[in-house]
């Protein structure tokens, strides 16, 4: 069950970013003090669209995997399977996606690395054809 996925609060249904996700995700703002830190929870099969964390300098995103099983993939690279305890460093400017495995809930902490003129550029969805290759 979603409530048991992580020791951190699951938060609300992620309606603000729903247009950039396939499937249901949940978002909890853990802190906004200096460094924004979020708990993001994905139902099985849920993933975000390809996207880029943009910054003039610095920036990027760090994922701390806390529960379940998921995937991370950079554009043109093989997908990386994720488990609790895994850390993903995502440099600014790198196109990528992250989300749950097809048969498992998944949760990660997302740390937004401070930088100059930071923001996200959202791109195309991860198609079923791409996603269904993942086990
Ligand atoms: Mn990201």
């Amino acid at each position: 069950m979603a409530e048991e996925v992580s020791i951190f609060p699951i938060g609300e249904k992620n309606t603000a970013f729903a247009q950039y996700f396939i499937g249901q995700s949940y978002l909890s703002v853990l802190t906004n003090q200096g460094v924004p830190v979020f708990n993001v929870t994905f139902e099985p099969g849920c993933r975000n669209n390809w996207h880029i964390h943009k910054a003039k300098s610095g920036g990027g995103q760090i994922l701390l995997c806390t529960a379940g099983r998921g995937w991370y993939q950079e554009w043109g690279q093989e997908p990386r399977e994720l488990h609790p305890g895994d850390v993903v460093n995502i440099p600014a400017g790198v196109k990528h996606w992250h989300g749950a495995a097809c048969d498992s809930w998944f949760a990660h902490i997302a740390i937004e690395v401070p930088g100059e003129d930071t923001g996200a550029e959202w791109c195309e969805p991860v198609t079923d054809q791409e996603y269904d290759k993942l086990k």
Side-chain angles (χ1 to χ4, degrees):
M1 297 296 290
E3 292 76 13
E4 298 162 1
V5 162
S6 170
I7 58 172
F8 295 99
I10 189 169
E12 303 295 325
K13 283 187 176 179
N14 187 4
T15 52
F17 293 89
Q19 59 184 316
Y20 306 122
F21 281 66
I22 289 175
Q24 186 66 58
S25 67
Y26 298 81
L27 183 65
S28 174
V29 180
L30 300 182
T31 183
N32 249 323
Q33 302 290 310
V35 179
V37 179
F38 305 98
N39 183 29
V40 187
T41 305
F42 305 76
E43 68 174 5
C46 176
R47 68 272 192 184
N48 51 33
N49 289 3
W50 291 99
H51 62 281
I52 302 165
H53 301 287
K54 306 201 81 164
K56 198 169 166 186
S57 65
Q61 188 179 49
I62 298 168
L63 307 180
L64 307 178
C65 304
T66 55
R69 189 170 73 91
W71 294 99
Y72 169 75
Q73 186 177 19
E74 294 182 356
W75 189 257
Q77 304 295 318
E78 288 298 308
R80 174 182 166 191
E81 188 173 336
L82 298 176
H83 300 275
D86 287 343
V87 177
V88 182
N89 286 288
I90 308 170
V94 172
K95 188 174 178 180
H96 67 281
W97 67 270
H98 28 113
C102 61
D103 60 352
S104 176
W105 285 82
F106 177 60
H108 65 55
I109 304 297
I111 301 170
E112 307 302 315
V113 180
E116 192 180 354
D117 293 343
T118 57
E121 178 184 336
W122 291 95
C123 309
E124 66 272 33
V126 179
T127 63
D128 287 344
Q129 191 180 17
E130 295 171 276
Y131 183 80
D132 289 349
K133 290 181 199 162
L134 307 175
K135 302 298 176 197

